[in-house]
Amino acid sequence: MPTEKNKKQKLSVGWIGAGRMGYEMAGRLAKGGADVLIWNRTRAKAEPLSKYGAKVADDVSELAARDIVFCMVATWKDVKEVITNLLKNPRARPKMVIECSSISLEGSAELRAMLGKHKIQYLAAPVSGNAKVIKAGRLSFVCSGPEKAFSEALPFLKMIAPSASYVGDGELARIVKICHNVFLGVVTQSLAEITLLAQKAGVPRHAFLEFMNQSVMGSTFSRYKTPAFVNLDFKVTFTPHLLRKDMDLGLDAARTFEVPMPLASATRDLIQAMIGRGWSEQDFATLLLQQAQASGVTLKSENVEVGDGLS
Ligand SMILES: NC(=O)c1ccc[n+]([C@@H]2O[C@H](COP(=O)([O-])OP(=O)(O)OC[C@H]3O[C@@H](n4cnc5c(N)ncnc54)[C@H](OP(=O)(O)O)[C@@H]3O)[C@@H](O)[C@H]2O)c1
């Protein structure tokens, strides 16, 4: 009977994408002792992973000879491009592809069909959490596809994240992730609104958020966004463009399933307005800056040491 450890050692892993998320996720596999060959369009971003034992490929097609290939890029268009190039290798095919980017149900179904033609198993496995959450060992996967593929992938998923939920067949994981990120956008906008309201009425942001974080409304998310809101540190964890993509995915799905989503629609346009103002290269938490501007408030860092609940 093979143990989990043996299984991990037997199977080789290919990893596509060393962006903010992919770098940390692949890093956990390499640090955990998995045999990882990584490819990133900008090779230099993948190279530091060699210090954990990962090998770096020059071309994505080299990953075709790996047993399992993970993919973590940006949009469906990008996923399609890299997987098409992966499948161009005439000599090899991976046994399984695990796709983790946040993409549409339709894109995911097209990918399943592309891979199915080559008898490659496919698991849709998007995630919740940013790069710091990955480092803190608190990322979560939501997975769908054949249950057998999920069981085979599980030892690897567990090296990256403590939690991997299986939600059923086909592309179901995609709608779960889309719903999750619509909530992320709406909650962030709402948190910006109430934080500004409290501040304009005279409550310092750190005091307001300390109370909120300890109340029943506080969450892992509100805690880890608190340093950004208090000290205006908007170093990017997730870009406004990627969040707008996810709001659009949510609104497209809402049209398909005929579900009214007034809060999501308003939030999507507020994110669009923020991008239009040129606030697109910092973290999406700059929704707070936009709310301040709309409220006639000039924000200053409070320079107060506040925890993020992660480190
Ligand atoms: N950041 C978060 O908090 C977070 C959380 C959960 C899920 N997500 C989702 O995870 C995915 C990655 O997000 P991220 O924040 O890691 O983004 P990111 O830092 O912008 O990284 C994007 C990665 O995709 C690669 N890429 C993009 N287009 C490509 C193409 N056409 N061909 C080849 N490679 C391409 C980039 O390569 P280069 O390095 O060459 O540009 C980079 O490795 C997105 O779908 C996002 O919505 C993000």
Side-chain angles (χ1 to χ4, degrees), residues 16-23 25 39-43 45 72-79 81-82 85 99-103 126-131 139 177 180-181 184 224 236-239 242-243 245-246 283-284:
I16 302 174
R20 271 177 284 276
M21 298 295 286
Y23 181 89
M25 291 167 79
W39 174 82
N40 193 56
R41 182 176 58 182
T42 311
R43 185 190 160 106
K45 285 197 207 165
M72 186 53 150
V73 287
T75 65
W76 160 235
K77 187 179 141 286
D78 306 318
V79 172
E81 188 180 322
V82 294
N85 290 335
E99 209 303 306
C100 305
S101 323
S102 304
I103 61 170
V127 297
S128 165
N130 62 27
L139 190 73
K177 170 62 186 170
H180 171 284
N181 270 31
L184 172 71
Y224 75 62
V236 70
T237 66
F238 186 45
T239 62
L242 287 178
L243 181 58
K245 158 186 70 83
D246 292 345
D283 194 63
F284 69 103

Side-chain angles (χ1 to χ4, degrees), residues 14 144 184 272 274 300 306 311:
S144 63
L184 172 71
Q272 178 61 65
M274 178 171 72
K300 291 199 183 78
V306 282
S311 42

